[in-house]
Amino acid sequence: MQEELRAFTEWVGQGRKLTQTGNLTLSDARTLVALLKTGDEIDPKIGDRVFRTKSSTELPGLNLIVEWAVATGLVRVVKGRLLPVKKAAPLLNDPKRLWEASFTALGKMSQALFPKNYWYSSLVGEEFALIWPALQRRLYGGPVPLADLRELAWQIASPYYEMRDPQVQRRMADQDIDRLLTVLARLGVVELTEETATLTPAAVTTVRRSLGEAAPGEPIYQIRVTLQESADPVIWRRLLVSPGITLARLHHILVTAMGWQDSHLHLFRVGGFLYGQPSREWDLDVVDEEKTSLAEVLAQVRAAIEYEYDLGDSWRHDIVLEEILTAEEGVRYPVLLGGEGACPPEDVGGIGGYAYFRLVLADPEHDEHDEYVRWAGLDSAQEFDPAKFAVEAARRALASAR
């Protein structure tokens, strides 16, 4: 892909005139399809009929390269002309920097990767801003089954839409993910087999940096997360996390390690400041958690911040920095070291409601015993053990949610 970007930028030269709609002329498109070997077919013949290509936008392979060059900052559109970006010229002679710039630009490429037309709009393309970081986190953990990547994208995108035929939409979403993986392989981001995708060594370093994860030899935080007012047992988890991750990323780590379903709002409290997802609907001054790293709010050993999950039930957790260690070679963070106590059921009514839930389950003669068993989705009260923490299951969940 870098060779195509370089060849396209060199072809632009001192500038190329675009059509009134801001697209390449058909004459230039014909030249580029041959020059760049995009795989597009101009004026395709189907049966005895020739379908005339009317616009360069009908050539997805070429459009991908053009949009990628724009997103990478190699060229730009000015007053109806495609022009080179002079300050980006050194990239063309630096393969490593060009590769990194091309990879970074992927987050801006949803329309080119998943082009819309009159009959189809890609769910993956619509939610690419959410799906792309999630795919990077999942791939960062090591080889991943392709089926897992397809499922991850579907689970992120599908809740936002009402679908007449979910099976058809799912099949199209899977095809979009496969198309994306093919592009990533062309760029040298992943190595593909028939069943798995694995980040290349160069991509591991770049993804690590983009996710804020610690490289070997860099600081790593050992934190203890304790559910306030929990008792018999105290519910806690101990984790190793990278200080460079955002608070938004920390939230996802916490709900997975604790066992929450991530179906409620949350906030971080640090001194007199609140961190979370800013919203006009909130009557609160909230700092954007996506733009705040853990290291910015927790830097000293024995320092603490508070994390609240579900602002109705108000599950408050103390997060204490126990030690600052060193990231090890070959280890993917976060790492769950241990913990105690089962995660309370969602919507049980906070710590007081949880105490009452346990009381009712422990008393078969209680008037609400059977009702609570059914509400919790249990076959019997003995299924729920408040002292049990399935640490290996939590580690697997954390690994699959990376």
Side-chain angles (χ1 to χ4, degrees):
M1 182 59 73
Q2 290 130 289
E3 289 304 317
E4 289 96 323
L5 290 173
R6 187 179 291 107
F8 173 72
T9 306
E10 291 174 352
W11 173 85
V12 170
Q14 297 302 308
R16 298 280 178 167
K17 186 177 180 180
L18 300 174
T19 66
Q20 291 183 344
T21 55
N23 301 314
L24 295 171
T25 66
L26 278 179
S27 174
D28 284 343
R30 291 176 187 275
T31 299
L32 286 169
V33 164
L35 175 67
L36 304 176
K37 297 179 174 62
T38 66
D40 295 308
E41 185 178 359
I42 297 178
D43 299 335
K45 184 177 181 181
I46 302 176
D48 295 331
R49 185 177 176 185
V50 175
F51 292 82
R52 296 294 180 186
T53 302
K54 298 179 181 179
S55 168
S56 65
T57 59
E58 299 172 30
L59 308 171
L62 177 58
N63 280 331
L64 179 62
I65 295 172
V66 174
E67 293 301 322
W68 213 328
V70 173
T72 305
L74 297 173
V75 299
R76 60 179 178 168
V77 177
V78 180
K79 296 181 179 180
R81 288 180 62 81
L82 194 61
L83 300 174
V85 177
K86 293 182 179 180
K87 67 178 182 180
L91 286 179
L92 300 176
N93 299 314
D94 190 330
K96 182 179 179 181
R97 287 182 59 204
L98 178 58
W99 183 89
E100 290 179 345
S102 304
F103 178 78
T104 301
L106 271 169
K108 311 171 188 176
M109 297 284 296
S110 60
Q111 291 187 8
L113 289 166
F114 314 104
K116 298 179 182 180
N117 57 45
Y118 70 94
W119 64 272
Y120 173 64
S121 178
S122 166
L123 298 187
V124 174
E126 293 290 344
E127 303 303 329
F128 193 60
L130 297 175
I131 290 172
W132 176 229
L135 290 177
Q136 290 183 73
R137 287 194 295 268
R138 187 69 179 88
L139 286 163
Y140 183 67
V144 184
L146 302 182
D148 287 5
L149 297 174
R150 299 181 191 119
E151 178 66 19
L152 175 60
W154 178 252
Q155 291 299 326
I156 292 173
S158 59
Y160 293 98
Y161 302 92
E162 293 184 6
M163 290 171 277
R164 293 181 179 178
D165 194 336
Q167 290 184 339
V168 171
Q169 290 288 348
R170 174 60 191 266
R171 185 166 60 251
M172 290 180 173
D174 288 351
Q175 291 172 354
D176 284 339
I177 291 300
D178 291 345
R179 187 180 307 113
L180 172 63
L181 289 170
T182 299
V183 172
L184 293 178
R186 286 175 60 194
L187 185 59
V189 173
V190 297
E191 296 175 352
L192 296 178
T193 68
E194 290 186 0
E195 296 183 352
T196 65
T198 307
L199 286 178
T200 62
V204 167
T205 301
T206 303
V207 170
R208 178 194 294 135
R209 190 183 308 121
S210 71
L211 297 177
E213 297 290 352
E218 293 181 346
I220 204 80
Y221 280 5
Q222 177 176 304
I223 61 173
R224 176 177 166 125
V225 184
T226 306
L227 183 61
Q228 293 181 10
E229 301 182 63
S230 60
D232 191 26
V234 173
I235 302 170
W236 61 272
R237 309 287 186 260
R238 179 170 285 118
L239 295 141
L240 298 178
V241 298
S242 302
I245 61 173
T246 65
L247 292 183
R249 174 70 179 129
L250 179 62
H251 156 70
H252 290 293
I253 293 170
L254 294 176
V255 294
T256 305
M258 289 296 300
W260 300 119
Q261 296 175 10
D262 197 9
S263 56
H264 296 282
L265 296 172
H266 65 276
L267 284 172
F268 292 91
R269 289 182 174 83
V270 185
F273 296 93
L274 299 176
Y275 297 81
Q277 299 171 325
S279 171
R280 294 179 181 178
E281 298 178 3
W282 287 36
D283 188 22
L284 295 170
D285 186 10
V286 177
V287 182
D288 192 347
E289 64 182 9
E290 290 279 4
K291 300 178 181 179
T292 308
S293 71
L294 176 58
E296 291 178 68
V297 298
L298 191 66
Q300 301 295 326
V301 173
R302 292 187 294 278
I305 62 176
E306 184 181 86
Y307 167 71
E308 182 178 359
Y309 172 72
D310 186 348
L311 306 189
D313 278 7
S314 191
W315 300 103
R316 297 193 175 193
H317 308 68
D318 291 320
I319 303 172
V320 177
L321 176 53
E322 294 185 317
E323 291 187 70
I324 299 178
L325 306 172
T326 301
E328 299 180 18
E329 183 73 44
V331 178
R332 295 288 187 269
Y333 299 94
V335 173
L336 176 61
L337 297 177
E340 290 184 358
C343 183
E346 300 265 344
D347 304 316
V348 77
I351 201 71
Y354 180 49
Y356 185 70
F357 169 81
R358 290 177 57 182
L359 183 151
V360 172
L361 253 60
D363 181 5
E365 302 302 321
H366 196 285
D367 291 344
E368 298 177 281
H369 179 84
D370 292 344
E371 180 183 346
Y372 267 63
V373 170
R374 288 192 298 271
W375 175 84
L378 306 173
D379 291 328
S380 69
Q382 288 70 36
E383 283 188 43
F384 183 80
D385 182 355
K388 183 179 180 180
F389 173 49
V391 63
E392 290 303 325
R395 284 173 178 155
R396 289 193 296 272
L398 197 61
S400 65
R402 289 179 192 276

